[in-house]
Amino acid sequence: MHYLLFRLRAEAPPWAASLEGMSANIGVVGLAVMGSNLARNLASREGNTVAVYNRSREKTDQLVADHPEAGFVPAFSYEEFAASLSKPRTAIIMVKAGRGTDAVIDELVKVFEPGDIIVDGGNAYFPDTIRREKAVRETGINFVGAGISGGEEGALLGPSIMPGGSDESWVTLGPILKSIAAVAEGEPCVTHVGHNGAGHFVKMVHNGIEYADMQLTAEAYDLIRRGTGKTPAEIADIFAEWNTGELESYLIEITAEVLRQVDASTGKPLVDVILDQAGAKGTGAWTVQTALSLGVPVSGIAEATFARSLSSHPEQRAVAAALPGPDTEFAVDDADAFIADVAQALFASKIIAYSQGFDEIRAGAAEYDWTIDLGAVSKIWRAGCIIRAQFLNRIADAYAEHPELPVLAAAPYFADALTRGQAAWRRVVVAAAQAGIPSPAFSSSLAYYDGIRADRLPAALVQGQRDFFGAHTYKRIDKEGTFHTLWSGDRTEVEAEDTH
């Protein structure tokens, strides 16, 4: 990373004259599918004129030729790109995260000036965004890490956007992003999340929740299919019905579509010919690693991430297939009742996934000194993003009523839902365990629920063990202070210096 640490131009650079009169209020660098779709979205909104640049000229030429209605201002060098932008220059980078992002920032810093804005719209790891923002800020240029969710369709039609960055940058950037964001109940799905890496942090957690939500949905499908013998098409009808009630969400909706799809070459359900090895691009792992460093339990997200890892090791699964399981086949006596139980278990587990995710956002905000409005975050996830769901309004309501709510699952609406669903949830987890069907997200979510509501945990024994082998000390329930037992001596208890 070589961000320039000097600025100050006394006059316009010589290449500016050739593009005089060509002025765009926003630019996009990187014209692969996401970048092209975002540029088209920007150009379709009143008041926006979009400059476009790609390292390979062919993509720029193709985009401009394919969409003359967009009125793009093409540039074929960074100098031309900068000259085509009105001040403060604002550019959104849509390139692969990593060294490619740093390379583009290097080039933009050379041609931008103090007060201009560079936006990274990729899936960057938030510590990288913190690092980049600090370095770019020294040049006087604003750097914004913006999480963008919704995939290719969202980029074109309206994504959910999670920008960080300075207050100054939001003044210019806010109206532009509001013009292209998805809209839920009349509100654009974008808010200024917080400073430096806050936007990419929130996007990371969004993706972690997405991992959990997808795994839970897959486990629900698997249990219904194994327990009732229903076909994927029949299960698709169940998911479609679920999507009309409290489980209404984008992921439930598309699950029905995937399960209905028939493979053209074999005539089999497509889900039966897809290799059962789930890919991942790192954001789930980042969410779990960050949660560990923050001391926040996100067990449902972690198990969903590990489930993808397990699926991707066929060599281990092939050897382990010979290990014994239950002797009897899994079949339920009352299919309708079992399906109803799975629906309740799915909803309860989804609540836990979102609750854990919002706990991590709160902890991250405290650690990195961000002011993040959790209710506002839930609102911008109501449309445009992958985890959009009906109950996000309920999350917003919970934080509006209690901004310092220590755990989302304890809010009245969610506590009531968990109370109603816990019996079914337990029956499903028991049935899965007895049948030998893996349900790591369901079962870990239930274990978290039981752990967080417990009046006493076996952590007392763990702390005793730690004191025995490492003199790590412990606290008592009946008096103040920190203590250590002389385990290798006469086993008397002594008061120790509090090192915590």
Side-chain angles (χ1 to χ4, degrees):
M1 185 170 64
H2 312 289
Y3 309 143
L4 301 181
L5 298 181
F6 55 87
R7 253 333 11 99
L8 299 179
R9 293 182 176 83
E11 57 184 37
W15 38 259
S18 64
L19 291 174
E20 189 173 355
M22 300 177 66
S23 182
N25 68 311
I26 182 69
V28 176
V29 177
L31 302 178
V33 176
M34 281 291 290
S36 295
N37 282 0
L38 192 70
R40 290 171 58 195
N41 186 352
L42 285 160
S44 71
R45 311 297 173 156
E46 186 177 354
N48 289 338
T49 301
V50 185
V52 291
Y53 172 77
N54 194 76
R55 186 175 60 176
S56 60
R57 177 171 182 147
E58 292 77 10
K59 285 188 177 180
T60 305
D61 287 335
Q62 191 66 53
L63 179 65
V64 173
D66 288 347
H67 300 284
E69 77 287 349
F72 290 125
V73 179
F76 302 104
S77 69
Y78 283 104
E79 290 82 3
E80 288 185 4
F81 181 72
S84 69
L85 291 167
S86 59
K87 297 181 182 180
R89 299 178 184 90
T90 305
I92 303 177
I93 302 171
M94 298 297 292
V95 299
K96 187 175 181 180
R99 286 181 294 180
T101 300
D102 284 322
V104 173
I105 296 170
D106 277 340
E107 296 300 324
L108 288 175
V109 166
K110 293 176 185 177
V111 296
F112 275 22
E113 298 175 342
D116 292 346
I117 304 165
I118 299 172
V119 182
D120 176 13
N123 260 344
Y125 190 26
F126 78 93
D128 290 336
T129 303
I130 293 174
R131 166 180 60 82
R132 289 167 178 148
E133 193 278 336
K134 181 180 179 182
V136 172
R137 187 184 346 121
E138 294 185 27
T139 72
I141 296 170
N142 291 290
F143 183 81
V144 175
I148 300 177
S149 179
E152 297 171 8
E153 181 178 314
L156 179 62
L157 302 178
S160 172
I161 312 175
M162 295 147 261
S166 66
D167 295 336
E168 177 190 10
S169 65
W170 178 244
V171 173
T172 298
L173 192 60
I176 296 172
L177 296 183
K178 288 177 182 179
S179 76
I180 65 166
V183 176
E185 300 178 26
E187 298 177 308
C189 292
V190 58
T191 191
H192 184 208
V193 174
H195 295 154
N196 55 60
H200 277 144
F201 183 94
V202 168
K203 176 58 163 58
M204 175 193 74
V205 176
H206 164 285
N207 285 22
I209 295 171
E210 180 183 306
Y211 273 55
D213 210 341
M214 294 173 72
Q215 177 65 25
L216 289 165
T217 305
E219 290 178 15
Y221 150 76
D222 194 37
L223 286 164
I224 292 173
R225 188 167 186 186
R226 291 174 185 250
T228 69
K230 290 183 179 294
T231 65
E234 290 171 327
I235 300 173
D237 291 337
I238 294 169
F239 275 83
E241 177 62 27
W242 286 353
N243 200 45
T244 64
E246 63 185 4
L247 282 167
E248 179 189 344
S249 67
Y250 175 71
L251 284 171
I252 295 294
E253 175 188 341
I254 67 169
T255 298
E257 296 297 319
V258 172
L259 292 176
R260 283 200 183 96
Q261 185 68 19
V262 175
D263 176 52
S265 61
T266 64
K268 296 179 180 179
L270 179 63
V271 72
D272 287 346
V273 299
I274 296 176
L275 188 66
D276 61 337
Q277 297 176 25
K281 290 190 174 181
T283 46
W286 292 346
T287 305
V288 176
Q289 291 163 353
T290 302
L292 285 170
S293 69
L294 293 171
V296 178
V298 292
S299 50
I301 296 170
E303 288 297 343
T305 305
F306 292 139
R308 293 195 190 189
S309 300
L310 187 151
S311 77
S312 299
H313 286 283
E315 76 289 350
Q316 293 180 330
R317 294 165 59 197
V319 173
L323 295 173
D327 294 330
T328 57
E329 290 292 320
F330 179 45
V332 300
D333 296 328
D334 186 334
D336 290 341
F338 180 69
I339 291 167
D341 276 358
V342 172
Q344 291 282 346
L346 177 57
F347 190 58
S349 298
K350 281 165 69 81
I351 291 171
I352 296 301
Y354 282 75
S355 183
Q356 291 179 346
F358 276 91
D359 284 350
E360 182 167 356
I361 294 173
R362 179 191 296 102
E367 176 71 18
Y368 295 100
D369 196 26
W370 297 322
T371 301
I372 299 179
D373 184 334
L374 298 179
V377 169
S378 68
K379 284 188 173 184
I380 67 171
W381 288 350
R382 290 178 299 171
C385 73
I386 304 303
I387 63 170
R388 57 186 184 263
Q390 183 224 39
F391 72 3
L392 284 161
N393 269 327
R394 299 291 192 170
I395 295 176
D397 293 342
Y399 285 118
E401 187 172 351
H402 299 291
E404 302 303 319
L405 184 68
V407 57
L408 179 62
Y413 172 82
F414 297 110
D416 179 64
L418 292 168
T419 300
R420 286 186 286 107
Q422 69 153 325
W425 196 5
R426 297 183 191 284
R427 287 193 294 268
V428 168
V429 170
V430 167
Q434 290 180 333
I437 298 173
S439 60
F442 273 152
S443 55
S444 65
S445 298
L446 178 59
Y448 171 86
Y449 170 77
D450 284 335
I452 204 165
R453 68 177 190 82
D455 61 351
R456 186 162 173 82
L457 293 167
L461 177 57
V462 172
Q463 199 63 10
Q465 293 169 331
R466 294 181 72 238
D467 188 59
F468 189 105
F469 67 70
H472 291 294
T473 74
Y474 53 85
K475 293 184 181 294
R476 297 176 58 99
I477 63 172
D478 54 357
K479 56 184 174 181
E480 295 294 321
T482 302
F483 301 90
H484 167 59
T485 292
L486 302 175
W487 297 103
S488 59
D490 62 3
R491 301 208 171 185
T492 57
E493 182 180 78
V494 297
E495 190 163 3
E497 182 181 350
D498 189 350
T499 60
H500 299 285

